[in-house]
Amino acid sequence: MKLRTYLLMGLCVLQLGVVGAQVYRYQRVLEQGTPYRFLAQVVDPYDALRGKYITLEFAAEAFTTNNQNIANWDTTQPLYAIVTQDAQGFAKISQLQTTAPARGQHYLHIQNWYYAHQDDGDQQTIQLSFPMERFYLKEDLAPQAEQRYNEANRDDNPYNAYAVVYLLDGKAVIDDIKINNTSVKIPID
Amino acid sequence: MLQKWVDAHLISPTQADAILGYEQAQMNATPHTGTQRLLIAFSVIGALLVGLGIILLLAHNWDEFSRSTKLMIAITPLIISQGLALFTLQQKPHSAPWKESSATLAWLTLGSALAIVSQTYHLGGHLGDLLSVWMVLALPLMYLLRSQMAAILSLIGITTMGALIAYDENRNAEQWRYWLLLAAWLPYYYQQLKNTTQSWGTAVFSWLLALSLSVMSLAFLDLFFDDVRDHLVALYCMVIALCFYAISRIPLLDAMRPMRTGFRPLAVLAFLWISFVYTIENIWSHGTEEWAYGPILLLSLPAWGYLMYRSYTQKSPTPYLPSLVLPAAFLLAHALSLQEEGFIISNLAIIIYGVWMIIKGAQNYAIGKLNLGMLSLAGLITLRFFDEDIPFVIKGITFIMIGIAFFVANLWLIKRQSARKEAV
């Protein structure tokens, strides 16, 4: 019986350890990472275990280039997308590479991607799938966010909706989503 | 009391432990009384409700709280239920209500903690991955606390995780996680089978295991064979059903009442269902490449081999024959690429099976077998009645013959029963 108690104590420590490690890993990104604004498109689905969330698709996920070297990569291998700021202050991918970048560089680790499109010139488009794709919201706020996004999208300004994302060593944590410069976490009455 | 005796040097500490162990084994061997069962049931239900309630509350997404508050809310229930589990092991190690409810709470709060962290940092990712972490960390609970509820929850969780991963196009190969976790789960089931073969708990476990394997076995075959997904799927199901039937004949399981094993009823149901599907003539006109049946025949060999071996050791081949007739008929008919003959063979197979079951049921006064036989025949008759391709004459004659057979069988059974009653 004593052995079982020790084993149970060990299991509890292990469980807390795994949970704690997850918390530590992602909290570190928020505290030590660099924020970037990614232009985003908003959709509203539902996860029964983890709650209601909005799904995001980012403009920067479509990467277009003339560089011919990227045409022959194996689509099962991960890619590293180097992130910089464009002239309007939003995030964009400046280049893709198959080897991990040096420490201190801001990048995203991409597991899923595919060759989307090649036009007659030398332009190749690769569709990336960013590691951050959803934002959990209070149940009543999620549909509101989608609605606000659709309304904001009707004008000609392409810069209406963006996500504030902290990057550190290839990991990304979304801090907030802003539509017309107002956070989605604030309810509209 | 034992401690007093040890202190008075009447018995040694080792002897005290031995006495405790003996009494514990005695308590485990005797079934719980009604009141005890009620107590266990209520504590488990209470724990389930509390745990699920916590999960639902977190799904509400309390944005008003800061990140650290949310994490506190996530981890506190986990720590509390871990504390309760440790308390149970130390102070109440023989109390089933304590063991079951603390294990249930610990299992559920672990999942809710992982889910809240995922929600707090807006982590996306496949639900199957979160379930994998949860299941690996939660599996030891059923062994350490000897909790049936934890074992049931773990099996359900492992199956859900397996199904989510295997039925995702890109990730079918990762289903080994399911098989690994299942292998870790099986020793508990084996203990349960050995120690309490006839108990209700063992029946529940057997059924859950059978259902879990049903979900995952096609996905498993899909890893190795390309044609599992097209029209041969019924034959692959037949092979799986044959394996289930063989499993149900393993001595430990064979000792249980058939309906309780889960494997036997599912296998028979599968045989019958597939057989009925194949009595429709259209299915036979599907041509297929010749050696598609090769792997299927190969796959069925272990199960057949085992059943042959078992019937040899039992010294009477007849118990297993009926259930072998159906699959054998199919595989043969398909392999020989028969068409109208295939149709006739499958109908004959069901008739033979039905009649055999009726005879066996009548002989052994086994109502279940009798009903199963009658239902099979009745189902077949109904299907054929609506079959337009059979000429009326043949239909008419066959129906009359079967009707006569029914009358005769009934008369014979009634005569036998009254003879038995007179003899008593």
Side-chain angles (χ1 to χ4, degrees):
Chain A
M1 205 120 5
K2 270 223 171 119
L3 175 65
R4 268 203 285 159
T5 313
Y6 286 133
L7 285 176
L8 185 60
M9 290 200 307
L11 180 69
C12 295
V13 167
L14 182 64
Q15 289 177 351
L16 289 173
V18 169
V19 175
Q22 276 204 334
V23 170
Y24 174 72
R25 195 192 310 165
Y26 292 102
Q27 185 62 23
R28 215 176 126 241
V29 175
L30 284 175
E31 284 171 4
Q32 297 173 19
T34 318
Y36 276 90
R37 302 193 303 175
F38 282 84
L39 284 175
Q41 187 185 338
V42 169
V43 182
D44 166 38
Y46 175 58
D47 179 327
L49 179 62
R50 295 176 281 185
K52 203 136 173 60
Y53 61 89
I54 48 183
T55 307
L56 301 162
E57 282 173 11
F58 298 100
E61 282 178 311
F63 179 76
T64 318
T65 180
N66 287 329
N67 185 351
Q68 285 311 302
N69 293 338
I70 71 169
N72 299 315
W73 286 337
D74 171 16
T75 51
T76 58
Q77 72 176 334
L79 289 183
Y80 301 88
I82 313 292
V83 179
T84 54
Q85 264 195 7
D86 67 8
Q88 282 78 26
F90 290 100
K92 70 167 189 187
I93 309 295
S94 60
Q95 73 179 64
L96 290 178
Q97 51 190 69
T98 51
T99 51
R103 277 202 159 266
Q105 278 216 296
H106 302 147
Y107 66 97
L108 286 170
H109 184 115
I110 313 277
Q111 293 279 27
N112 295 321
W113 59 276
Y114 59 92
Y115 287 108
H117 174 63
Q118 177 152 32
D119 65 16
D120 301 326
D122 293 324
Q123 279 232 333
Q124 172 82 259
T125 307
I126 291 186
Q127 190 66 26
L128 305 164
S129 183
F130 286 171
M132 66 282 181
E133 56 177 4
R134 57 173 72 173
F135 190 76
Y136 286 95
L137 272 187
K138 205 149 168 282
E139 309 163 279
D140 39 350
L141 291 180
Q144 269 189 17
E146 191 185 11
Q147 194 188 343
R148 279 166 61 187
Y149 172 75
N150 289 332
E151 282 167 18
N153 222 16
R154 286 199 205 116
D155 65 25
D156 290 325
N157 183 359
Y159 301 116
N160 287 319
Y162 61 89
V164 179
V165 184
Y166 281 79
L167 300 180
L168 182 68
D169 297 335
K171 286 191 280 292
V173 177
I174 307 181
D175 184 45
D176 198 359
I177 309 227
K178 295 216 167 108
I179 299 181
N180 280 339
N181 284 318
T182 321
S183 164
V184 290
K185 295 194 269 199
I186 301 173
I188 36 176
D189 340 86
Chain B
M1 185 172 67
L2 278 176
Q3 193 55 42
K4 275 198 334 199
W5 291 350
V6 171
D7 292 339
H9 299 291
L10 286 170
I11 54 175
S12 73
T14 342
Q15 282 175 316
D17 275 337
I19 294 174
L20 251 182
Y22 175 78
E23 284 302 309
Q24 172 66 33
Q26 290 295 307
M27 261 172 59
N28 280 344
T30 48
H32 295 124
T33 64
T35 323
Q36 279 178 316
R37 276 217 194 99
L38 212 54
L39 188 56
I40 297 173
F42 279 135
S43 11
V44 169
I45 291 176
L48 265 177
L49 284 173
V50 170
L52 289 173
I54 292 178
I55 291 182
L56 282 172
L57 280 179
L58 80 88
H60 177 67
N61 305 337
W62 282 339
D63 275 323
E64 292 96 50
F65 296 122
S66 70
R67 216 167 255 130
S68 35
T69 319
K70 274 177 156 183
L71 291 172
M72 276 292 108
I73 297 181
I75 304 204
T76 314
L78 177 60
I79 296 187
I80 293 180
S81 41
Q82 284 179 341
L84 281 174
L86 284 166
F87 174 79
T88 304
L89 266 195
Q90 278 294 96
Q91 303 289 79
K92 309 260 182 195
H94 309 299
S95 159
W98 272 96
K99 286 195 289 186
E100 295 292 340
S101 40
S102 64
T104 308
L105 262 180
W107 198 91
L108 287 169
T109 50
L110 176 61
S112 69
L114 288 169
I116 293 193
V117 170
S118 178
Q119 183 204 98
T120 306
Y121 292 103
H122 307 291
L123 305 176
H126 206 256
L127 189 54
D129 291 320
L130 187 145
L131 282 177
S132 307
V133 175
W134 186 1
M135 289 309 121
V136 168
L137 289 174
L139 193 89
L141 283 171
M142 69 198 218
Y143 287 107
L144 292 175
L145 285 164
R146 305 258 165 91
S147 161
Q148 290 194 333
M149 197 61 208
I152 291 176
L153 287 170
S154 282
L155 186 59
I156 296 177
I158 293 172
T159 311
T160 313
M161 174 204 82
L164 280 175
I165 292 181
Y167 286 91
D168 179 344
E169 293 284 335
N170 303 330
R171 304 185 58 167
N172 193 19
E174 291 180 40
Q175 62 172 266
W176 57 263
R177 296 188 201 179
Y178 165 82
W179 296 101
L180 214 58
L181 281 169
L182 189 70
W185 185 90
L186 281 174
Y188 185 91
Y189 176 60
Y190 178 70
Q191 288 288 344
Q192 186 82 10
L193 263 185
K194 252 190 15 174
N195 297 338
T196 57
T197 314
Q198 301 300 340
S199 78
W200 176 87
T202 312
V204 169
F205 281 128
S206 304
W207 269 95
L208 283 178
L209 181 61
L211 288 170
S212 173
L213 285 172
S214 312
V215 168
M216 293 299 295
S217 26
L218 269 182
F220 181 69
L221 288 177
D222 198 28
L223 277 180
F224 302 103
F225 301 104
D226 289 322
D227 51 4
V228 173
R229 292 182 189 214
D230 55 11
H231 60 274
L232 282 183
V233 64
L235 287 181
Y236 280 101
C237 288
M238 187 73 99
V239 173
I240 295 174
L242 194 61
C243 292
F244 273 26
Y245 187 78
I247 292 176
S248 78
R249 288 294 182 182
I250 294 175
L252 266 179
L253 281 166
D254 212 357
M256 289 169 62
R257 297 203 326 239
M259 277 302 281
R260 287 180 165 212
T261 59
F263 287 98
R264 185 96 60 88
L266 282 179
V268 171
L269 266 176
F271 284 148
L272 283 174
W273 175 256
I274 298 174
S275 312
F276 275 113
V277 166
Y278 272 92
T279 57
I280 299 173
E281 199 173 4
N282 292 337
I283 308 255
W284 291 97
S285 29
H286 243 298
T288 343
E289 321 85 58
E290 303 215 336
W291 277 115
Y293 307 107
I296 295 180
L297 280 171
L298 269 176
L299 282 176
S300 12
L301 281 180
W304 263 334
Y306 182 71
L307 285 170
M308 292 298 150
Y309 163 74
R310 284 281 294 159
S311 71
Y312 175 73
T313 55
Q314 298 266 31
K315 297 201 169 50
S316 84
T318 48
Y320 304 151
L321 274 185
S323 314
L324 296 180
V325 161
L326 287 177
F330 280 114
L331 290 175
L332 213 53
H334 259 93
L336 299 174
S337 302
L338 303 172
Q339 295 202 355
E340 292 114 25
E341 298 91 332
F343 169 69
I344 296 178
I345 287 181
S346 44
N347 278 280
L348 261 180
I350 295 190
I351 293 177
I352 294 176
Y353 179 79
V355 168
W356 186 287
M357 280 289 122
I358 290 176
I359 294 178
K360 278 290 162 190
Q363 274 181 345
N364 305 329
Y365 300 96
I367 302 183
K369 279 202 180 136
L370 192 70
N371 285 333
L372 192 58
M374 301 227 299
L375 267 174
S376 318
L377 285 182
L380 188 63
I381 291 170
T382 316
L383 275 180
R384 294 285 78 77
F385 187 76
F386 289 107
D387 199 327
E388 294 164 353
D389 294 333
I390 307 180
F392 281 119
V393 179
I394 298 190
K395 262 198 235 182
I397 296 179
T398 326
F399 275 41
I400 291 174
M401 282 178 22
I402 297 181
I404 293 177
F406 259 113
F407 274 124
V408 168
N410 265 306
L411 276 174
W412 181 78
L413 183 60
I414 292 174
K415 267 215 277 190
R416 233 188 111 142
Q417 269 203 330
S418 47
R420 195 182 185 227
K421 279 195 187 132
E422 279 168 24
V424 165

